[in-house]
Amino acid sequence: MTQPAICVTTMRKRHARAALVIERLVNPKPWSLEVLHSELGLAETRAYFVAMSDRTVVGFAGLMMAVDDGHVTNIAVHPNWQRQRIASRLLVALTRAAIERGATALTLEVRLSNKGAQQLYRHFGFAPVGVRKRYYQQPEEDALIMWAHDIQRAEYCELVAALESQLPEPVVVLKSRRVSSNEGFACNSVADL
């Protein structure tokens, strides 16, 4: 059985409700629609992406820029779509966005119990640097702080390119297009670019 094509596109407000469905499924203390809309309104310092299969949002991710550091605010994949390399696709998109915006380093927090996510981040060059006590609530848990430094260097870009080459298809961040109301949302194909 072949895996359905996944496209990554810039998140728009019209994707927010679908992203929040995923957020509620994977995060015991999810963001509100208002918070997500506020984040999307800060385009100068934020970058958000959705992963889509046909017209279905199956994952989303966000980046917050602070001077020359990029902070991964979240990566969430619908439970039915996990373990299909969607988080890897989203992390490629976030990494590229951070580099394009001049970041020299990336950081994030991850639950100490989330070994799968930690392994993904290590593949992308993140290393643990400390622990934030009781960072997460419901259930209360410490966060592992991870950093990837020197992301502008050729070696880091080569690492990300090598990881991307292992994906079923290259990550091409598409601009979403307007479609008629009876079509719903669709991603452009690479041929449309």
Side-chain angles (χ1 to χ4, degrees), residues 20-38:
L20 285 179
V21 168
I22 296 167
E23 173 81 349
R24 289 182 185 119
L25 289 170
V26 302
N27 187 347
K29 193 171 178 180
W31 284 7
S32 68
L33 184 61
E34 293 76 20
V35 168
L36 188 52
H37 279 174
S38 174

Side-chain angles (χ1 to χ4, degrees), residues 112-126:
L112 281 176
S113 63
N114 194 342
K115 302 300 184 192
Q118 291 172 35
Q119 181 179 14
L120 170 68
Y121 302 142
R122 281 185 174 94
H123 287 306
F124 275 81
F126 286 83

Side-chain angles (χ1 to χ4, degrees), residues 69-144:
D69 293 335
H71 185 138
V72 177
T73 58
N74 45 26
I75 297 178
V77 177
H78 191 287
N80 294 344
W81 288 84
Q82 291 177 358
R83 305 288 182 243
Q84 296 184 45
R85 318 246 7 232
I86 292 168
S88 293
R89 291 174 176 94
L90 290 165
L91 195 48
V92 166
L94 290 179
T95 300
R96 286 185 183 158
I99 290 169
E100 288 170 8
R101 291 168 180 242
T104 60
L106 284 167
T107 187
L108 54 80
E109 295 88 12
V110 59
R111 285 184 182 271
L112 281 176
S113 63
N114 194 342
K115 302 300 184 192
Q118 291 172 35
Q119 181 179 14
L120 170 68
Y121 302 142
R122 281 185 174 94
H123 287 306
F124 275 81
F126 286 83
V129 297
V131 173
R132 290 195 205 287
K133 295 288 187 189
R134 296 180 299 281
Y135 181 79
Y136 293 102
Q137 306 301 312
Q138 302 173 358
E140 186 176 284
E141 187 172 354
D142 297 343
L144 183 65

Side-chain angles (χ1 to χ4, degrees), residues 10-18 33 36-38 40-41:
T10 303
M11 184 188 285
R12 304 282 185 237
K13 283 189 176 181
R14 66 177 170 267
H15 303 124
R17 289 188 191 279
L33 184 61
L36 188 52
H37 279 174
S38 174
L40 293 174

